[in-house]
Every structure is written in C-alpha cells, then in structure tokens.
Amino acid sequence: MQKEHVKGAGKQAKGHVKDAVGRMTGNERMQAEGKMDKAEGKAQQKMGDAKDRVRDTLKH
C-alpha cells in the first residue's frame, strides 16, 4: 500500500465531514471545499493504484 492510498483516504474523510457540516449549516463555501477535498482524495488514491500496478508489472 502506497502513501497515496492513506493520504487519499484521509483527504476523502475530511471532505465528507466538511461537506456534511457545510450542508447542515448552509455554508456553501465549506460544502464546496468538502467536495474538492473528496475529489482530490479520490485522485490521490487512483495515483496510488497506478503506482501499485506499475510496481507489480515491473516485478514480473
């Protein structure tokens, strides 16, 4: 497991919290930041997946 997986999961969790709090309080900016954090976290996890595939390919 790459650092990107862990960092991505953390960023997604932070984004979920910001999104939910923003929705509950009516804070559109916080909600938008949460959505951005979630998207960044997903991208970071996909980068980790790509690194894993490259590493596995190079092993064989």
Side-chain angles (χ1 to χ4, degrees):
M1 178 178 260
Q2 295 289 332
K3 289 187 292 184
E4 283 79 9
H5 287 110
V6 176
K7 287 181 181 179
K11 192 99 170 171
Q12 280 186 335
K14 182 174 118 179
H16 281 290
V17 171
K18 277 185 171 180
D19 188 19
V21 170
R23 219 174 313 125
M24 287 189 300
T25 61
N27 187 335
E28 291 179 6
R29 181 177 177 170
M30 183 178 283
Q31 192 175 359
E33 286 176 5
K35 289 177 191 273
M36 287 292 293
D37 285 345
K38 287 192 287 187
E40 287 176 18
K42 285 181 184 179
Q44 204 163 20
Q45 283 185 317
K46 291 208 182 285
M47 178 61 108
D49 292 342
K51 282 185 176 184
D52 284 346
R53 283 192 298 274
V54 168
R55 188 183 66 239
D56 290 344
T57 301
L58 292 176
K59 282 184 181 178
H60 293 90

